[in-house]
Amino acid sequence: MRRNVVSIVAIMIIASILLCSCGADTNEQASSILKTESAPSVVEEESSVSEGTAIGVSENIETETPTSADGYNILGGTWEVGGIYYRNKIIDINDNDALSGLYRSVFLSFNEDGTYSYLNKVFLHKGTYLKYEKSAEESFLLKTDTVSRLTVENDKLVEVEAEGGDKTTYIITLIDGDSSTFVFSEFDSITGNAKANDDPLIFVKSDEDSEYIAENKTDISNNSTGPDTSEKSDANNSNTDKTPITSNATSGERNALKKAMDYLAYSAFSYSGLIEQLEYEGYTNAEATFAADNCGADWEEQALLKAEEYLNYSAFSYNGLIEQLEYEGFSEKEAEHGANNCGADWNDQAVKKAKEYLAYTSFSYDGLVEQLVYEGFSQSQAEYGASKAY
């Protein structure tokens, strides 16, 4: 059985995060491990020589040279997040502590046999990559076959199939003139391009520098609030204006509050989700709870923002979106507020979801309708989606 090196490495990375809960630089650890693991195994090669044959003896031994997947010469190895597009601006994540913390456990790795692994904190996506001929630029499609969640059971790290995990197709576009950088987005099967309104990630090959990011990034001088965040802060109920006087807070509580404000400037969180993220950063439960209690966030508004984030990436039914928001830690009331006010056309969502399914496998009309109903769409929405998708 072929050993899946990336899976092993992914588990090792997450094990160091979940079991050690330390502040070590996981990017450096992961890069070092992945580089070592992805190299050919001398021991395995030597073991193929029959017993009693001296190494170095001139003897014709027929070996089968594996054929590398198209693109492996470019993509082969491990890649880390180096930057993001934020409101059409390129931000170097290393210029902002909050962004660096958010993406330090996100990796992509490409194998010679045409498979890839995408590790996003505790979620592991596995699938295949192939060149996308329809793109005017040099691009590859990453088709997800399995999505699993890495969790600890009986002091052991195990992969558990992620319930409801969308087998998303991604598209990566190489940067002309910079072989160490590519743009990573979700693929829209309807348009045949990267999803509109997506904020793509910019990946950089491990232990290499990106000229593209260095030459095009917006200078934020490591300001914790990040670039041009006034609009987001307003959407988050003007968190910076609601920050309370914390003269009686401990230094840990003040730092946790500052970190919470950093996170809320870039993404939406539930109350419990923000606490979990801060604890992941190494803050105690008391410090994280203090920060969530005092950050000034309107959690219903956060649910709405998170709903809009989800709809930029995938299609959801009304009930499915509420369930996803509740999974993120929002209360039923907060989740319903997000779903009720996100502006989604649920018939249109049914069409998109139907097309997502048909991009992966075949369905009869009735089977597709049944699948959409299972996803939470009403009978009429499911029939509308199936009819438009065919």
mmCIF file of all heavy atoms in Angstrom, residues 254-298:
data_model
loop_
_atom_site.group_PDB
_atom_site.id
_atom_site.type_symbol
_atom_site.label_atom_id
_atom_site.label_comp_id
_atom_site.label_asym_id
_atom_site.label_seq_id
_atom_site.Cartn_x
_atom_site.Cartn_y
_atom_site.Cartn_z
ATOM 1 N N ARG A 254 -5.745 42.050 28.711
ATOM 2 C CA ARG A 254 -5.613 43.156 27.756
ATOM 3 C C ARG A 254 -5.073 42.663 26.417
ATOM 4 O O ARG A 254 -5.526 43.078 25.343
ATOM 5 C CB ARG A 254 -4.717 44.252 28.329
ATOM 6 C CG ARG A 254 -5.349 45.040 29.469
ATOM 7 C CD ARG A 254 -4.574 46.313 29.755
ATOM 8 N NE ARG A 254 -3.222 46.030 30.226
ATOM 9 C CZ ARG A 254 -2.886 45.864 31.503
ATOM 10 N NH1 ARG A 254 -3.828 45.947 32.443
ATOM 11 N NH2 ARG A 254 -1.643 45.625 31.855
ATOM 12 N N ASN A 255 -4.078 41.773 26.465
ATOM 13 C CA ASN A 255 -3.518 41.239 25.223
ATOM 14 C C ASN A 255 -4.543 40.392 24.476
ATOM 15 O O ASN A 255 -4.621 40.430 23.246
ATOM 16 C CB ASN A 255 -2.271 40.401 25.526
ATOM 17 C CG ASN A 255 -1.087 41.250 25.931
ATOM 18 O OD1 ASN A 255 -0.999 42.413 25.543
ATOM 19 N ND2 ASN A 255 -0.179 40.692 26.717
ATOM 20 N N ALA A 256 -5.332 39.615 25.224
ATOM 21 C CA ALA A 256 -6.368 38.800 24.596
ATOM 22 C C ALA A 256 -7.415 39.687 23.933
ATOM 23 O O ALA A 256 -7.907 39.380 22.839
ATOM 24 C CB ALA A 256 -7.019 37.881 25.629
ATOM 25 N N LEU A 257 -7.767 40.791 24.586
ATOM 26 C CA LEU A 257 -8.744 41.716 24.025
ATOM 27 C C LEU A 257 -8.204 42.338 22.741
ATOM 28 O O LEU A 257 -8.917 42.461 21.743
ATOM 29 C CB LEU A 257 -9.083 42.803 25.048
ATOM 30 C CG LEU A 257 -10.049 43.899 24.576
ATOM 31 C CD1 LEU A 257 -11.369 43.290 24.105
ATOM 32 C CD2 LEU A 257 -10.291 44.906 25.696
ATOM 33 N N LYS A 258 -6.944 42.715 22.747
ATOM 34 C CA LYS A 258 -6.325 43.290 21.548
ATOM 35 C C LYS A 258 -6.336 42.265 20.412
ATOM 36 O O LYS A 258 -6.641 42.592 19.260
ATOM 37 C CB LYS A 258 -4.898 43.721 21.855
ATOM 38 C CG LYS A 258 -4.149 44.307 20.656
ATOM 39 C CD LYS A 258 -2.773 44.772 21.083
ATOM 40 C CE LYS A 258 -1.995 45.335 19.883
ATOM 41 N NZ LYS A 258 -1.692 44.303 18.888
ATOM 42 N N LYS A 259 -6.008 41.028 20.731
ATOM 43 C CA LYS A 259 -6.003 39.982 19.711
ATOM 44 C C LYS A 259 -7.425 39.743 19.182
ATOM 45 O O LYS A 259 -7.622 39.526 17.981
ATOM 46 C CB LYS A 259 -5.437 38.690 20.292
ATOM 47 C CG LYS A 259 -5.355 37.542 19.305
ATOM 48 C CD LYS A 259 -4.370 37.819 18.182
ATOM 49 C CE LYS A 259 -2.940 37.735 18.655
ATOM 50 N NZ LYS A 259 -1.981 37.845 17.541
ATOM 51 N N ALA A 260 -8.411 39.774 20.061
ATOM 52 C CA ALA A 260 -9.801 39.603 19.630
ATOM 53 C C ALA A 260 -10.197 40.697 18.652
ATOM 54 O O ALA A 260 -10.864 40.441 17.631
ATOM 55 C CB ALA A 260 -10.730 39.611 20.845
ATOM 56 N N MET A 261 -9.796 41.925 18.936
ATOM 57 C CA MET A 261 -10.109 43.034 18.038
ATOM 58 C C MET A 261 -9.424 42.843 16.691
ATOM 59 O O MET A 261 -9.984 43.175 15.634
ATOM 60 C CB MET A 261 -9.671 44.352 18.676
ATOM 61 C CG MET A 261 -10.293 44.634 20.035
ATOM 62 S SD MET A 261 -12.077 44.830 19.978
ATOM 63 C CE MET A 261 -12.189 46.422 19.192
ATOM 64 N N ASP A 262 -8.206 42.302 16.714
ATOM 65 C CA ASP A 262 -7.496 42.016 15.468
ATOM 66 C C ASP A 262 -8.287 41.032 14.616
ATOM 67 O O ASP A 262 -8.478 41.227 13.412
ATOM 68 C CB ASP A 262 -6.111 41.428 15.755
ATOM 69 C CG ASP A 262 -5.143 42.454 16.315
ATOM 70 O OD1 ASP A 262 -5.443 43.657 16.234
ATOM 71 O OD2 ASP A 262 -4.087 42.051 16.841
ATOM 72 N N TYR A 263 -8.740 39.960 15.234
ATOM 73 C CA TYR A 263 -9.489 38.934 14.509
ATOM 74 C C TYR A 263 -10.778 39.489 13.929
ATOM 75 O O TYR A 263 -11.136 39.222 12.781
ATOM 76 C CB TYR A 263 -9.808 37.757 15.431
ATOM 77 C CG TYR A 263 -8.662 36.804 15.619
ATOM 78 C CD1 TYR A 263 -8.247 36.428 16.888
ATOM 79 C CD2 TYR A 263 -7.990 36.267 14.527
ATOM 80 C CE1 TYR A 263 -7.185 35.547 17.065
ATOM 81 C CE2 TYR A 263 -6.933 35.392 14.689
ATOM 82 C CZ TYR A 263 -6.539 35.020 15.960
ATOM 83 O OH TYR A 263 -5.499 34.156 16.123
ATOM 84 N N LEU A 264 -11.506 40.255 14.724
ATOM 85 C CA LEU A 264 -12.803 40.764 14.282
ATOM 86 C C LEU A 264 -12.672 41.794 13.161
ATOM 87 O O LEU A 264 -13.645 42.092 12.472
ATOM 88 C CB LEU A 264 -13.553 41.365 15.469
ATOM 89 C CG LEU A 264 -14.036 40.351 16.520
ATOM 90 C CD1 LEU A 264 -14.564 41.064 17.752
ATOM 91 C CD2 LEU A 264 -15.106 39.434 15.934
ATOM 92 N N ALA A 265 -11.471 42.338 12.981
ATOM 93 C CA ALA A 265 -11.253 43.267 11.877
ATOM 94 C C ALA A 265 -11.190 42.547 10.543
ATOM 95 O O ALA A 265 -11.355 43.153 9.490
ATOM 96 C CB ALA A 265 -9.962 44.059 12.105
ATOM 97 N N TYR A 266 -10.941 41.225 10.579
ATOM 98 C CA TYR A 266 -10.757 40.477 9.337
ATOM 99 C C TYR A 266 -11.799 39.400 9.099
ATOM 100 O O TYR A 266 -11.992 38.973 7.965
ATOM 101 C CB TYR A 266 -9.372 39.816 9.326
ATOM 102 C CG TYR A 266 -8.253 40.802 9.156
ATOM 103 C CD1 TYR A 266 -7.531 41.250 10.251
ATOM 104 C CD2 TYR A 266 -7.931 41.306 7.907
ATOM 105 C CE1 TYR A 266 -6.501 42.159 10.102
ATOM 106 C CE2 TYR A 266 -6.913 42.220 7.750
ATOM 107 C CZ TYR A 266 -6.189 42.643 8.842
ATOM 108 O OH TYR A 266 -5.181 43.542 8.690
ATOM 109 N N SER A 267 -12.443 38.912 10.139
ATOM 110 C CA SER A 267 -13.370 37.807 9.959
ATOM 111 C C SER A 267 -14.461 37.866 11.017
ATOM 112 O O SER A 267 -14.353 38.602 12.005
ATOM 113 C CB SER A 267 -12.624 36.470 10.049
ATOM 114 O OG SER A 267 -13.474 35.388 9.735
ATOM 115 N N ALA A 268 -15.516 37.080 10.800
ATOM 116 C CA ALA A 268 -16.634 37.031 11.738
ATOM 117 C C ALA A 268 -16.484 35.825 12.654
ATOM 118 O O ALA A 268 -16.020 34.760 12.227
ATOM 119 C CB ALA A 268 -17.956 36.950 10.984
ATOM 120 N N PHE A 269 -16.878 35.987 13.904
ATOM 121 C CA PHE A 269 -16.788 34.926 14.894
ATOM 122 C C PHE A 269 -18.046 34.902 15.745
ATOM 123 O O PHE A 269 -18.664 35.948 15.979
ATOM 124 C CB PHE A 269 -15.587 35.139 15.831
ATOM 125 C CG PHE A 269 -14.256 34.855 15.215
ATOM 126 C CD1 PHE A 269 -13.582 35.846 14.504
ATOM 127 C CD2 PHE A 269 -13.659 33.611 15.339
ATOM 128 C CE1 PHE A 269 -12.347 35.596 13.934
ATOM 129 C CE2 PHE A 269 -12.431 33.355 14.774
ATOM 130 C CZ PHE A 269 -11.764 34.347 14.074
ATOM 131 N N SER A 270 -18.394 33.724 16.214
ATOM 132 C CA SER A 270 -19.391 33.614 17.275
ATOM 133 C C SER A 270 -18.687 33.874 18.598
ATOM 134 O O SER A 270 -17.456 33.886 18.669
ATOM 135 C CB SER A 270 -20.021 32.222 17.278
ATOM 136 O OG SER A 270 -19.048 31.234 17.631
ATOM 137 N N TYR A 271 -19.459 34.059 19.630
ATOM 138 C CA TYR A 271 -18.883 34.279 20.957
ATOM 139 C C TYR A 271 -17.987 33.106 21.355
ATOM 140 O O TYR A 271 -16.818 33.296 21.707
ATOM 141 C CB TYR A 271 -20.010 34.453 21.970
ATOM 142 C CG TYR A 271 -19.574 34.573 23.413
ATOM 143 C CD1 TYR A 271 -19.106 35.785 23.927
ATOM 144 C CD2 TYR A 271 -19.628 33.482 24.280
ATOM 145 C CE1 TYR A 271 -18.709 35.905 25.254
ATOM 146 C CE2 TYR A 271 -19.235 33.585 25.599
ATOM 147 C CZ TYR A 271 -18.771 34.796 26.081
ATOM 148 O OH TYR A 271 -18.370 34.896 27.395
ATOM 149 N N SER A 272 -18.519 31.885 21.256
ATOM 150 C CA SER A 272 -17.718 30.718 21.649
ATOM 151 C C SER A 272 -16.594 30.470 20.666
ATOM 152 O O SER A 272 -15.516 30.016 21.047
ATOM 153 C CB SER A 272 -18.610 29.481 21.759
ATOM 154 O OG SER A 272 -19.223 29.177 20.518
ATOM 155 N N GLY A 273 -16.830 30.777 19.375
ATOM 156 C CA GLY A 273 -15.783 30.586 18.375
ATOM 157 C C GLY A 273 -14.597 31.501 18.606
ATOM 158 O O GLY A 273 -13.438 31.111 18.408
ATOM 159 N N LEU A 274 -14.871 32.732 19.039
ATOM 160 C CA LEU A 274 -13.792 33.670 19.325
ATOM 161 C C LEU A 274 -12.998 33.204 20.539
ATOM 162 O O LEU A 274 -11.753 33.285 20.558
ATOM 163 C CB LEU A 274 -14.369 35.064 19.553
ATOM 164 C CG LEU A 274 -13.357 36.188 19.808
ATOM 165 C CD1 LEU A 274 -12.377 36.310 18.643
ATOM 166 C CD2 LEU A 274 -14.079 37.515 20.040
ATOM 167 N N ILE A 275 -13.683 32.705 21.539
ATOM 168 C CA ILE A 275 -12.990 32.182 22.723
ATOM 169 C C ILE A 275 -12.096 31.010 22.334
ATOM 170 O O ILE A 275 -10.928 30.932 22.751
ATOM 171 C CB ILE A 275 -14.007 31.757 23.803
ATOM 172 C CG1 ILE A 275 -14.695 32.994 24.391
ATOM 173 C CG2 ILE A 275 -13.327 30.950 24.915
ATOM 174 C CD1 ILE A 275 -15.801 32.676 25.381
ATOM 175 N N GLU A 276 -12.620 30.101 21.517
ATOM 176 C CA GLU A 276 -11.824 28.949 21.084
ATOM 177 C C GLU A 276 -10.596 29.391 20.298
ATOM 178 O O GLU A 276 -9.508 28.837 20.470
ATOM 179 C CB GLU A 276 -12.682 28.022 20.222
ATOM 180 C CG GLU A 276 -13.737 27.260 21.001
ATOM 181 C CD GLU A 276 -14.608 26.406 20.109
ATOM 182 O OE1 GLU A 276 -14.327 26.346 18.889
ATOM 183 O OE2 GLU A 276 -15.568 25.796 20.609
ATOM 184 N N GLN A 277 -10.758 30.382 19.426
ATOM 185 C CA GLN A 277 -9.632 30.870 18.639
ATOM 186 C C GLN A 277 -8.567 31.487 19.539
ATOM 187 O O GLN A 277 -7.366 31.290 19.331
ATOM 188 C CB GLN A 277 -10.112 31.884 17.607
ATOM 189 C CG GLN A 277 -9.010 32.418 16.710
ATOM 190 C CD GLN A 277 -8.383 31.344 15.849
ATOM 191 O OE1 GLN A 277 -9.072 30.452 15.373
ATOM 192 N NE2 GLN A 277 -7.083 31.419 15.653
ATOM 193 N N LEU A 278 -8.990 32.233 20.531
ATOM 194 C CA LEU A 278 -8.035 32.857 21.450
ATOM 195 C C LEU A 278 -7.332 31.809 22.306
ATOM 196 O O LEU A 278 -6.134 31.915 22.582
ATOM 197 C CB LEU A 278 -8.753 33.886 22.327
ATOM 198 C CG LEU A 278 -9.256 35.136 21.587
ATOM 199 C CD1 LEU A 278 -10.181 35.953 22.481
ATOM 200 C CD2 LEU A 278 -8.086 35.989 21.116
ATOM 201 N N GLU A 279 -8.070 30.788 22.721
ATOM 202 C CA GLU A 279 -7.443 29.706 23.480
ATOM 203 C C GLU A 279 -6.438 28.963 22.607
ATOM 204 O O GLU A 279 -5.378 28.557 23.080
ATOM 205 C CB GLU A 279 -8.506 28.741 24.007
ATOM 206 C CG GLU A 279 -9.339 29.323 25.140
ATOM 207 C CD GLU A 279 -10.393 28.350 25.644
ATOM 208 O OE1 GLU A 279 -10.864 27.505 24.856
ATOM 209 O OE2 GLU A 279 -10.752 28.434 26.829
ATOM 210 N N TYR A 280 -6.770 28.814 21.328
ATOM 211 C CA TYR A 280 -5.845 28.202 20.384
ATOM 212 C C TYR A 280 -4.562 29.020 20.286
ATOM 213 O O TYR A 280 -3.464 28.478 20.084
ATOM 214 C CB TYR A 280 -6.520 28.094 19.017
ATOM 215 C CG TYR A 280 -5.616 27.620 17.908
ATOM 216 C CD1 TYR A 280 -5.308 26.275 17.764
ATOM 217 C CD2 TYR A 280 -5.080 28.518 16.995
ATOM 218 C CE1 TYR A 280 -4.483 25.837 16.745
ATOM 219 C CE2 TYR A 280 -4.252 28.093 15.970
ATOM 220 C CZ TYR A 280 -3.960 26.753 15.848
ATOM 221 O OH TYR A 280 -3.132 26.326 14.838
ATOM 222 N N GLU A 281 -4.675 30.335 20.454
ATOM 223 C CA GLU A 281 -3.516 31.218 20.418
ATOM 224 C C GLU A 281 -2.696 31.149 21.704
ATOM 225 O O GLU A 281 -1.626 31.745 21.785
ATOM 226 C CB GLU A 281 -3.969 32.659 20.177
ATOM 227 C CG GLU A 281 -4.418 32.941 18.760
ATOM 228 C CD GLU A 281 -3.271 32.918 17.774
ATOM 229 O OE1 GLU A 281 -2.135 33.208 18.171
ATOM 230 O OE2 GLU A 281 -3.524 32.581 16.600
ATOM 231 N N GLY A 282 -3.213 30.448 22.712
ATOM 232 C CA GLY A 282 -2.443 30.282 23.937
ATOM 233 C C GLY A 282 -2.961 31.051 25.129
ATOM 234 O O GLY A 282 -2.383 30.979 26.214
ATOM 235 N N TYR A 283 -4.063 31.789 24.957
ATOM 236 C CA TYR A 283 -4.632 32.509 26.087
ATOM 237 C C TYR A 283 -5.441 31.550 26.961
ATOM 238 O O TYR A 283 -5.963 30.545 26.479
ATOM 239 C CB TYR A 283 -5.532 33.646 25.596
ATOM 240 C CG TYR A 283 -4.780 34.744 24.878
ATOM 241 C CD1 TYR A 283 -4.751 34.796 23.481
ATOM 242 C CD2 TYR A 283 -4.081 35.706 25.590
ATOM 243 C CE1 TYR A 283 -4.042 35.788 22.814
ATOM 244 C CE2 TYR A 283 -3.371 36.704 24.931
ATOM 245 C CZ TYR A 283 -3.350 36.737 23.549
ATOM 246 O OH TYR A 283 -2.642 37.710 22.900
ATOM 247 N N THR A 284 -5.522 31.856 28.232
ATOM 248 C CA THR A 284 -6.307 31.017 29.131
ATOM 249 C C THR A 284 -7.783 31.239 28.855
ATOM 250 O O THR A 284 -8.179 32.214 28.196
ATOM 251 C CB THR A 284 -6.025 31.364 30.601
ATOM 252 O OG1 THR A 284 -6.515 32.696 30.869
ATOM 253 C CG2 THR A 284 -4.539 31.290 30.917
ATOM 254 N N ASN A 285 -8.616 30.338 29.368
ATOM 255 C CA ASN A 285 -10.052 30.481 29.177
ATOM 256 C C ASN A 285 -10.558 31.776 29.785
ATOM 257 O O ASN A 285 -11.418 32.462 29.213
ATOM 258 C CB ASN A 285 -10.788 29.286 29.782
ATOM 259 C CG ASN A 285 -12.297 29.405 29.640
ATOM 260 O OD1 ASN A 285 -12.992 29.831 30.566
ATOM 261 N ND2 ASN A 285 -12.816 29.029 28.473
ATOM 262 N N ALA A 286 -10.014 32.139 30.947
ATOM 263 C CA ALA A 286 -10.443 33.373 31.614
ATOM 264 C C ALA A 286 -10.079 34.595 30.772
ATOM 265 O O ALA A 286 -10.876 35.533 30.632
ATOM 266 C CB ALA A 286 -9.809 33.466 32.992
ATOM 267 N N GLU A 287 -8.872 34.600 30.204
ATOM 268 C CA GLU A 287 -8.445 35.724 29.373
ATOM 269 C C GLU A 287 -9.264 35.804 28.086
ATOM 270 O O GLU A 287 -9.681 36.884 27.665
ATOM 271 C CB GLU A 287 -6.955 35.567 29.044
ATOM 272 C CG GLU A 287 -6.050 35.738 30.259
ATOM 273 C CD GLU A 287 -4.626 35.271 30.011
ATOM 274 O OE1 GLU A 287 -4.399 34.538 29.016
ATOM 275 O OE2 GLU A 287 -3.748 35.618 30.817
ATOM 276 N N ALA A 288 -9.498 34.643 27.469
ATOM 277 C CA ALA A 288 -10.277 34.614 26.229
ATOM 278 C C ALA A 288 -11.715 35.044 26.476
ATOM 279 O O ALA A 288 -12.306 35.775 25.664
ATOM 280 C CB ALA A 288 -10.232 33.215 25.622
ATOM 281 N N THR A 289 -12.286 34.590 27.593
ATOM 282 C CA THR A 289 -13.661 34.956 27.925
ATOM 283 C C THR A 289 -13.767 36.452 28.195
ATOM 284 O O THR A 289 -14.727 37.118 27.780
ATOM 285 C CB THR A 289 -14.147 34.169 29.147
ATOM 286 O OG1 THR A 289 -14.077 32.761 28.856
ATOM 287 C CG2 THR A 289 -15.573 34.533 29.510
ATOM 288 N N PHE A 290 -12.775 37.003 28.895
ATOM 289 C CA PHE A 290 -12.748 38.450 29.144
ATOM 290 C C PHE A 290 -12.752 39.208 27.824
ATOM 291 O O PHE A 290 -13.494 40.190 27.655
ATOM 292 C CB PHE A 290 -11.504 38.822 29.954
ATOM 293 C CG PHE A 290 -11.302 40.309 30.105
ATOM 294 C CD1 PHE A 290 -11.898 41.002 31.143
ATOM 295 C CD2 PHE A 290 -10.513 41.013 29.198
ATOM 296 C CE1 PHE A 290 -11.720 42.382 31.283
ATOM 297 C CE2 PHE A 290 -10.334 42.387 29.324
ATOM 298 C CZ PHE A 290 -10.945 43.067 30.364
ATOM 299 N N ALA A 291 -11.951 38.747 26.875
ATOM 300 C CA ALA A 291 -11.859 39.431 25.584
ATOM 301 C C ALA A 291 -13.183 39.360 24.829
ATOM 302 O O ALA A 291 -13.643 40.363 24.267
ATOM 303 C CB ALA A 291 -10.744 38.802 24.758
ATOM 304 N N ALA A 292 -13.812 38.192 24.811
ATOM 305 C CA ALA A 292 -15.092 38.043 24.109
ATOM 306 C C ALA A 292 -16.189 38.874 24.767
ATOM 307 O O ALA A 292 -17.061 39.421 24.096
ATOM 308 C CB ALA A 292 -15.489 36.574 24.061
ATOM 309 N N ASP A 293 -16.123 38.978 26.099
ATOM 310 C CA ASP A 293 -17.124 39.751 26.826
ATOM 311 C C ASP A 293 -16.976 41.247 26.601
ATOM 312 O O ASP A 293 -17.947 42.003 26.724
ATOM 313 C CB ASP A 293 -17.026 39.461 28.326
ATOM 314 C CG ASP A 293 -17.563 38.085 28.690
ATOM 315 O OD1 ASP A 293 -18.365 37.544 27.909
ATOM 316 O OD2 ASP A 293 -17.171 37.564 29.748
ATOM 317 N N ASN A 294 -15.764 41.693 26.292
ATOM 318 C CA ASN A 294 -15.484 43.124 26.258
ATOM 319 C C ASN A 294 -15.108 43.669 24.885
ATOM 320 O O ASN A 294 -14.738 44.842 24.777
ATOM 321 C CB ASN A 294 -14.358 43.453 27.251
ATOM 322 C CG ASN A 294 -14.790 43.276 28.694
ATOM 323 O OD1 ASN A 294 -15.417 44.150 29.283
ATOM 324 N ND2 ASN A 294 -14.460 42.129 29.272
ATOM 325 N N CYS A 295 -15.193 42.842 23.838
ATOM 326 C CA CYS A 295 -14.764 43.299 22.515
ATOM 327 C C CYS A 295 -15.807 44.168 21.823
ATOM 328 O O CYS A 295 -15.524 44.794 20.799
ATOM 329 C CB CYS A 295 -14.416 42.108 21.630
ATOM 330 S SG CYS A 295 -15.829 41.052 21.234
ATOM 331 N N GLY A 296 -17.032 44.209 22.364
ATOM 332 C CA GLY A 296 -18.062 45.062 21.792
ATOM 333 C C GLY A 296 -18.784 44.483 20.600
ATOM 334 O O GLY A 296 -19.544 45.193 19.933
ATOM 335 N N ALA A 297 -18.561 43.216 20.300
ATOM 336 C CA ALA A 297 -19.177 42.621 19.115
ATOM 337 C C ALA A 297 -20.679 42.424 19.303
ATOM 338 O O ALA A 297 -21.138 42.077 20.388
ATOM 339 C CB ALA A 297 -18.512 41.281 18.798
ATOM 340 N N ASP A 298 -21.423 42.641 18.250
ATOM 341 C CA ASP A 298 -22.843 42.304 18.189
ATOM 342 C C ASP A 298 -22.898 40.912 17.570
ATOM 343 O O ASP A 298 -22.630 40.735 16.374
ATOM 344 C CB ASP A 298 -23.567 43.331 17.313
ATOM 345 C CG ASP A 298 -25.064 43.053 17.206
ATOM 346 O OD1 ASP A 298 -25.460 41.869 17.233
ATOM 347 O OD2 ASP A 298 -25.834 44.018 17.069
#
